[in-house]
């Protein structure tokens, strides 16, 4: 079997039959170990929980259908705490102690950047499912780290798409309020790359620390700046706090939010509907995405995890496990060079559409554009972003 469609959900009777038939060979075959590094503790633990659950769902599906050539997949979790030091330690343990065959991770861009030299030296294939800093793929493939792949849109793709969309709606003066991290600062740096050609400008620029809760002074400054919108590339847990304080400072309903910070999440919108109205976001995936595969994933995930709605990290890690499994199947091997060759030439049919990789091992994949309208996310189109590696 090769490709997502051939790994689609099977009827219960077929699953049971496959499981029985596979038992003799599975008992003798070694598991394929996939290390999954994510922030499982600390301020970003909720993201790690989604990642782990999405990946485990994919593994369960693949194993129930017989695995890969009679070999089961097994997730080996590791906690990065969203810090490079912990991420490096987790990577080293997965490689030297757990002897994993592949690694997926991390959600946090600073961790992924720190992981890349380690997996390269060890000859382990790393497939990223959530980090968005463009440097990850500037340095991958022909950029030097041949073992690194990313199945997620970059901040450069996202930033350009958001800015172009905002300008099209007449928004050209941006007040920046992003998280002080490789992710938050990187997204703004790549936004600046395109501002001149778009005829837009940044009028104020501020960054917040993880865990920060009082934004009233910076929002007051933004109110006096002449900005027509607020550009945020930040943390999902912080967006509702900013939105509520926008109401307090009189900005709600006047300056829409642009960028990415899980604007479309039901809990975020419910926290401050007036502030979230007209927010513009580019998303790798949304539960509202109307494709059969996406709807099937949401239904199965919610059934398995007590009604919890998946977020983009749950979906991304679920999809990435299926993609990696397809590459292993196509390579007919777990050897790194064979799987790299399979990934470089893969044409993977996902619920989001076709996924291929460029020569920097960056996925070329559709991304959704959306607006919050009357308290609900509305998908307004899709962008298949292609990275330009010049002018960095």
């Amino acid at each position: 079997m090769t490709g997502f469609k051939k790994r689609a959900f099977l009827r219960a009777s077929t699953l049971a039959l496959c499981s029985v038939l596979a038992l003799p060979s599975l008992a003798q075959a070694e598991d394929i170990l996939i290390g999954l590094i994510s922030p499982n503790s600390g301020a970003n633990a909720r993201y790690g929980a989604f990642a782990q659950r999405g990946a485990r769902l994919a593994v369960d599906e693949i194993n129930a259908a017989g695995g890969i050539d009679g070999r089961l997949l097994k997730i080996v979790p590791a906690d990065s705490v969203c810090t490079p030091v912990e991420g490096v330690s987790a990577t080293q343990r997965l490689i030297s102690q757990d002897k994993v065959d592949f690694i997926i991770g991390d959600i946090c861009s600073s961790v992924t950047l720190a992981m890349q030299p380690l997996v390269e030296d060890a000859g382990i294939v790393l497939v990223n499912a959530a980090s968005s800093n463009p440097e990850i793929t500037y340095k991958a493939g022909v950029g030097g780290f041949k073992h690194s792949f990313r199945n997620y849109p970059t901040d450069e793709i996202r930033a350009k798409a958001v800015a172009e969309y905002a300008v099209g709606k007449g928004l050209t003066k941006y007040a920046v309020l992003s998280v002080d991290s490789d992710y938050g600062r990187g997204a703004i740096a790549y936004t600046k790359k395109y501002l001149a050609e778009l005829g837009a400008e940044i009028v104020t620029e501020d960054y917040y620390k993880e865990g920060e809760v009082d934004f009233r002074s910076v929002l007051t400054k933004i109110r006096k700046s002449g900005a027509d919108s607020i550009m945020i590339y930040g943390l999902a847990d912080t967006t509702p706090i900013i939105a509520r304080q926008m109401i307090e400072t009189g900005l709600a309903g006047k300056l829409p939010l642009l960028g990415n910070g899980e604007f479309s999440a039901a809990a975020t919108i419910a926290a401050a509907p007036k502030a979230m109205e007209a927010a513009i976001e580019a998303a790798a995936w949304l539960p509202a995405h109307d494709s059969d595969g996406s709807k099937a994933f949401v239904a199965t995930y919610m059934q398995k995890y007590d009604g919890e709605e998946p977020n983009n990290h749950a979906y991304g890690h679920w999809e990435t496990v299926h993609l990696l499994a397809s590459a292993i199947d196509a390579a007919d091997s777990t050897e790194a060079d064979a799987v790299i060759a399979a990934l470089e030439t893969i044409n993977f049919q996902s619920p989001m559409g076709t996924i291929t990789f460029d020569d920097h091992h960056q996925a070329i994949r559709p991304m959704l554009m959306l607006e919050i309208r009357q308290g609900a996310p509305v998908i307004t189109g899709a962008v298949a972003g292609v990275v330009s590696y010049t002018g960095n």
Side-chain angles (χ1 to χ4, degrees):
M1 293 186 297
T2 302
F4 178 82
K5 291 183 178 178
K6 292 184 180 179
R7 298 184 181 282
F9 305 114
L10 302 177
R11 291 188 173 132
S13 59
T14 306
L15 289 177
L17 178 60
C18 287
S19 298
V20 171
L21 293 176
L23 285 175
S25 59
L26 292 176
Q28 300 172 11
E30 293 183 359
D31 292 342
I32 298 172
L33 303 182
I34 301 176
L36 178 52
I37 300 180
S38 59
N40 303 328
S41 62
N44 295 287
R46 67 183 294 268
Y47 305 130
F50 276 117
Q52 295 284 337
R53 288 194 282 269
R56 289 182 189 281
L57 175 58
V59 164
D60 288 348
E61 292 167 0
I62 293 165
N63 288 346
I68 301 175
D69 294 331
R71 297 178 66 183
L72 292 178
L73 301 185
K74 180 180 179 182
I75 294 292
V76 183
D79 187 6
S80 72
V81 201
C82 202
T83 66
V85 171
E86 292 293 336
V88 165
S89 295
T91 305
Q92 290 171 331
R93 287 194 298 273
L94 287 176
I95 294 170
S96 62
Q97 296 179 24
D98 297 306
K99 308 294 184 183
V100 298
D101 299 292
F102 304 95
I103 295 177
I104 294 175
D106 189 70
I107 288 172
C108 304
S109 292
S110 55
V111 175
T112 304
L113 288 163
M115 290 167 60
Q116 286 183 288
L118 300 179
V119 297
E120 191 67 25
D121 289 345
I124 301 289
V125 174
L126 167 69
V127 185
N128 182 267
S131 295
S132 54
N133 189 301
E135 286 299 315
I136 292 165
T137 37
Y138 271 80
K139 295 178 178 179
V142 295
F145 293 141
K146 74 171 188 175
H147 290 77
S148 293
F149 289 78
R150 173 164 44 189
N151 181 36
Y152 196 72
T154 75
D155 291 329
E156 182 171 358
I157 295 170
R158 189 192 307 270
K160 184 179 180 182
V162 167
E164 286 178 340
Y165 189 89
V167 168
K169 296 183 72 68
L171 302 172
T172 60
K173 296 181 182 295
Y174 311 135
V176 167
L177 180 52
S178 286
V179 65
D180 189 5
S181 66
D182 286 339
Y183 161 60
R185 288 187 176 272
I188 299 305
Y190 282 92
T191 298
K192 291 177 180 178
K193 180 177 175 179
Y194 299 102
L195 288 179
E197 68 181 65
L198 292 172
E201 62 178 316
I202 290 174
V203 295
T204 66
E205 188 171 349
D206 292 277
Y207 297 88
Y208 66 83
K209 301 293 185 182
E210 288 189 27
E212 193 170 336
V213 296
D214 189 351
F215 301 93
R216 294 172 183 85
S217 61
V218 70
L219 289 171
T220 299
K221 181 179 79 171
I222 289 171
R223 184 176 180 179
K224 300 175 182 178
S225 69
D228 58 24
S229 50
I230 301 175
M231 184 168 284
I232 295 177
Y233 287 91
L235 304 176
D237 290 342
T238 305
T239 302
I241 300 172
I242 294 173
R244 286 192 292 265
Q245 292 178 15
M246 285 175 64
I247 295 174
E248 295 177 26
T249 54
L251 290 175
K254 297 179 180 178
L255 272 64
L257 301 181
L258 315 175
N260 183 257
E262 289 199 21
F263 299 164
S264 61
T268 304
I269 298 171
K274 184 177 179 181
M276 297 310 301
E277 188 68 17
I280 296 169
E281 187 171 38
W285 175 83
L286 286 173
H289 180 50
D290 189 20
S291 78
D292 290 343
S294 180
K295 289 186 288 187
F297 161 72
V298 172
T300 305
Y301 182 96
M302 293 180 71
Q303 182 179 20
K304 183 176 179 65
Y305 297 116
D306 299 323
E308 176 185 78
E309 184 178 71
N311 76 347
N312 65 307
H313 294 317
Y315 173 81
H317 284 77
W318 172 82
E319 180 192 83
T320 298
V321 170
H322 275 290
L323 182 150
L324 176 58
S326 290
I328 296 168
D329 197 6
D332 198 25
S333 172
T334 55
E335 293 298 320
D337 287 345
V339 175
I340 287 170
L343 285 168
E344 287 177 336
T345 58
I346 203 166
N347 195 303
F348 183 72
Q349 302 304 312
S350 85
M352 284 295 297
T354 302
I355 297 174
T356 59
F357 288 93
D358 67 17
D359 61 0
H360 279 261
H361 293 176
Q362 168 62 40
I364 301 172
R365 51 171 301 126
M367 182 172 57
L368 303 174
M369 293 298 302
L370 64 96
E371 291 185 40
I372 308 303
R373 296 177 180 172
Q374 298 181 339
V378 177
I379 297 172
T380 59
V383 178
V386 178
V387 175
S388 169
Y389 294 97
T390 60
N392 180 36

